[in-house]
């Protein structure tokens, strides 16, 4: 079978990310994908898999979307890429204008990178340099316990998921951790934040958080009121606020951007993942005029923000991103997502019959629950493998099972996922 031949060839040459390669020999077989369309992935042996997680949370309008395909094909015959230092092009000018017009007026300048972790690095460096140029002496960053912001050195430093960062602790940046909020219970977190600011105010450069959902932190969902109170507290004390909306932006939490539900505006807004519909790497950090002007000076003053990527501002990625924004404007995606989210919630209620299903929750187009009571057992991995055998692509976070589907998912597909999960979980009872 062609799948098996491709797996052997892959394992001979390739080291895959975010996985233990030893598992691929036994517990988690690789799946070569030949093509993808809409909600489905198709392997070389004719099997299909319903994508419940938007690939790596990026394909918000599904795979091989005809409109995004069309716009990408139109662009590729005009301009594929140019150096973005000293040059520009129409797709990125259009994209930047559209993004700024979608955002609060306090956010007015776009700085591009090419993936989520890079956007975090940009924001951290930019925040630190902004402090330096104002004569501030802070050199620490503040973040939430249980946070994840990427896997480059700076991003790892402000994260708190041990499996990613433990071995690298000696080389990471100095950080302070605030107790993470849980749902509407956030007074302890705010108290923790107040105490840290009281003790370390002059040392802190910025506070970084994912508004509403700590995604790789086992889909911990928490109150917009915490985001509001924490942001106000930091900004009133001269501490910058960075919102990591890499996973939660572009309609994922029920609004175009998660900050809109929180009543505050960050100093730095990091966007990626869904921005290009899953087609090509692209990220952006959006800031206001005050921060931009700190770096705006004659060359001799050496205050330019010297951070660059070879593929920054890629024209093909920007064409896809403009197509994504077209789809948002043409199809009333946010309203439709709210209806879809309600149906997902209703359809999953029967899973409560299983005593080991705990903490069922939803925020926009993210649904999750936890499997509890299975000591030292990778039940999430069992769900993953059982799902694949039944044609579902689920990729649990430990024993947290979640759905983060493309926005094009239908009621029939949601019902199928719910019924398949019931079938899988019934084998655990």
């Amino acid at each position: 079978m062609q799948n098996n031949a491709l797996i052997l060839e892959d394992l001979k040459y390739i080291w895959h990310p975010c996985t233990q390669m030893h598992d691929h020999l036994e517990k988690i077989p690789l799946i070569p994908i030949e093509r993808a369309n809409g909600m489905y992935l198709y392997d070389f042996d004719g099997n299909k898999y319903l994508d419940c997680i938007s690939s790596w949370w990026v394909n918000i309008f599904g795979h091989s979307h005809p409109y995004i395909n069309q716009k990408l094909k139109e662009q590729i015959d005009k301009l594929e890429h140019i150096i973005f230092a000293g040059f520009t092009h129409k797709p990125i000018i259009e994209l930047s204008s559209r993004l700024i017009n979608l955002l609060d007026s306090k956010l007015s300048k776009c700085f591009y990178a090419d993936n989520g972790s890079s956007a975090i690095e940009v924001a951290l460096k930019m925040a630190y340099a902004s402090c330096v140029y104002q004569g501030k002496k802070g050199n620490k960053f503040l973040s939430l316990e249980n946070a994840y912001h990427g896997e480059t050195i700076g991003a790892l430093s402000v994260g708190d998921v041990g499996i990613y960062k433990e071995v690298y602790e000696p080389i990471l940046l100095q950080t302070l951790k605030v107790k993470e909020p849980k749902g509407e219970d956030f007074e302890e977190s705010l108290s923790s934040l107040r105490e840290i600011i009281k003790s370390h105010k002059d040392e802190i450069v910025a506070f970084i958080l994912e508004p509403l959902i700590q995604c790789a932190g086992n889909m911990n969902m928490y109150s917009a009121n915490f985001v509001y109170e924490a942001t106000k507290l930091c900004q009133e004390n001269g501490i910058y606020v960075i919102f990591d909306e890499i996973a939660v932006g572009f309609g994922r939490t029920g609004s175009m951007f998660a900050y809109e539900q929180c009543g505050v505006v960050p100093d730095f807004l990091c966007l990626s993942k869904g921005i290009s519909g899953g087609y090509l790497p692209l990220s952006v950090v959006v800031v206001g005029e005050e921060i931009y002007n700190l770096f705006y000076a004659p060359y001799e003053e050496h205050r330019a923000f010297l951070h660059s990527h070879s593929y920054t501002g890629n024209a093909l990625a920007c064409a896809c991103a403009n197509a994504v924004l077209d789809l948002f404007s043409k199809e009333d995606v946010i309203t439709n997502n709210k209806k879809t989210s309600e149906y997902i919630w209703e359809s999953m209620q029967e899973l409560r019959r299983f005593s080991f299903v705990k903490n069922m929750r939803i925020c926009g187009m993210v649904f999750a629950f936890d499997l509890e009571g299975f000591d030292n057992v990778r039940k999430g991995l069992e769900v993953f493998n059982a799902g694949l055998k039944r044609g579902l692509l689920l990729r649990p976070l430990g024993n947290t099972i979640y759905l983060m589907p493309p926005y094009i998912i239908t009621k029939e597909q949601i019902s199928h996922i719910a019924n398949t999960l019931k079938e899988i979980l019934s084998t655990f009872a």
Side-chain angles (χ1 to χ4, degrees):
M1 290 167 50
Q2 195 169 356
N3 275 353
N4 291 335
L6 288 167
I7 291 168
L8 291 174
E9 193 75 356
D10 177 291
L11 292 174
K12 186 176 179 181
Y13 300 110
I14 299 173
W15 189 348
H16 286 261
C18 207
T19 187
Q20 173 48 257
M21 291 301 295
H22 186 271
D23 277 353
H24 282 320
L25 295 176
E26 298 176 4
K27 297 177 182 177
I28 312 175
L30 286 167
I31 301 177
I33 296 299
E34 179 182 23
R35 61 188 178 89
N37 186 266
M39 287 292 302
Y40 291 96
L41 310 174
Y42 299 85
D43 69 17
F44 286 82
D45 289 337
N47 303 305
K48 69 176 184 177
Y49 307 89
L50 181 62
D51 186 351
C52 303
I53 58 168
S54 304
S55 188
W56 226 323
W57 313 345
V58 294
N59 294 87
I60 57 176
F61 291 111
H63 298 272
S64 194
H65 192 285
Y67 183 75
I68 304 176
N69 285 0
Q70 173 195 334
K71 292 301 179 182
L72 178 57
K73 290 172 184 174
E74 289 173 7
Q75 182 60 41
I76 205 167
D77 288 327
K78 296 177 184 176
L79 174 68
E80 82 298 343
H81 184 65
I82 56 164
I83 181 174
F84 199 53
F87 292 84
T88 192
H89 51 81
K90 285 182 70 175
I92 203 164
I93 295 170
E94 179 185 354
L95 174 61
S96 303
S97 172
R98 295 175 77 177
L99 284 174
I100 295 304
N101 283 310
L102 285 171
L103 296 168
D104 187 275
S105 61
K106 294 176 185 174
L107 299 168
S108 56
K109 286 289 192 293
C110 297
F111 190 97
Y112 287 90
D114 51 20
N115 62 74
S117 294
S118 296
I120 298 300
E121 297 289 334
V122 166
L124 297 177
K125 288 175 63 178
M126 202 179 278
Y128 175 73
S130 295
C131 288
V132 170
Y133 295 153
Q134 295 174 84
K136 298 180 180 180
K137 307 231 181 255
N139 64 351
K140 293 183 174 69
F141 290 93
L142 185 59
S143 56
L144 292 174
E145 293 177 354
N146 191 51
Y148 172 91
H149 297 289
E151 292 162 41
T152 47
I153 294 300
L156 268 183
S157 299
V158 292
D160 191 45
V161 181
I163 193 172
Y164 295 104
K165 67 181 288 185
E166 286 169 354
V167 70
Y168 304 106
E169 287 284 0
I171 62 171
L172 300 182
L173 305 177
Q174 298 182 64
T175 61
L176 299 166
K177 292 289 185 288
V178 176
K179 184 171 179 59
E180 84 273 24
K182 299 274 192 180
E184 294 298 323
D185 181 11
F186 58 84
E187 279 306 319
E188 190 176 353
S189 299
L190 274 183
S191 177
S192 169
L193 178 59
R194 290 189 192 101
E195 286 301 312
I196 290 173
I197 291 176
K198 183 178 178 181
S199 302
H200 301 277
K201 175 181 174 180
D202 294 335
E203 303 170 53
I204 301 170
V205 173
F207 178 37
I208 182 171
L209 69 159
E210 286 180 283
L212 302 182
I213 311 176
Q214 292 183 304
C215 291
N218 295 101
M219 296 299 170
N220 177 39
M221 300 177 187
Y222 61 94
S223 173
N225 292 327
F226 171 81
V227 181
Y228 174 85
E229 296 290 349
T231 299
K232 287 291 187 184
L233 186 58
C234 287
Q235 291 177 335
E236 287 167 3
N237 281 277
I239 296 168
Y240 286 129
V241 176
I242 302 168
F243 279 5
D244 173 354
E245 291 215 26
I246 289 160
V248 299
F250 295 100
R252 185 55 74 180
T253 65
S255 52
M256 188 63 173
F257 303 103
Y259 83 83
E260 296 175 87
Q261 299 178 49
C262 303
V264 285
V265 181
D267 301 291
F268 302 82
L269 178 65
C270 301
L271 302 170
S272 190
K273 288 198 183 285
I275 191 172
S276 70
Y279 275 65
L280 288 161
L282 184 66
S283 65
V284 62
V285 179
V286 193
V287 301
E289 295 295 322
E290 183 177 336
I291 290 167
Y292 174 78
N293 287 333
L294 289 170
F295 297 86
Y296 191 83
Y299 177 82
E300 292 74 19
E301 293 188 19
H302 303 295
R303 281 198 279 148
F305 186 61
L306 299 180
H307 182 106
S308 58
H309 296 266
S310 300
Y311 286 88
T312 291
N314 179 262
L316 300 178
C318 291
C320 293
N322 279 313
V324 164
L325 293 185
D326 288 345
L327 292 173
F328 272 104
S329 64
K330 290 176 179 179
E331 299 181 4
D332 198 9
V333 173
I334 302 301
T335 299
N336 292 335
N337 279 0
K338 288 178 181 177
K339 295 175 183 175
T340 303
S341 176
E342 290 171 2
Y343 191 77
I344 290 172
W345 184 245
E346 292 168 6
S347 299
M348 299 297 165
Q349 293 308 302
E350 282 195 49
L351 301 183
R352 293 184 186 275
R353 70 166 73 167
F354 301 104
S355 60
F356 48 80
V357 170
K358 304 291 185 183
N359 191 23
M360 192 179 289
R361 54 206 183 270
I362 197 166
C363 180
M365 290 291 287
V366 182
F367 166 82
F369 62 87
D370 302 321
L371 298 176
E372 296 185 2
F374 302 100
D375 294 336
N376 302 315
V377 176
R378 296 171 70 183
K379 281 295 181 184
L381 178 59
E382 291 183 31
V383 171
F384 173 74
N385 285 328
L388 289 178
K389 289 175 183 175
R390 293 164 173 81
L392 294 187
L393 170 55
L394 300 158
R395 198 172 192 273
L397 294 159
N399 282 351
T400 296
I401 315 301
Y402 72 91
L403 303 180
M404 212 162 170
Y407 304 158
I408 61 169
I409 193 169
T410 66
K411 287 185 174 181
E412 291 75 21
Q413 289 163 344
I414 293 167
S415 297
H416 173 65
I417 294 168
N419 289 331
T420 305
L421 279 171
K422 260 191 303 186
E423 180 183 326
I424 293 169
L425 295 180
S426 66
T427 66
F428 297 173

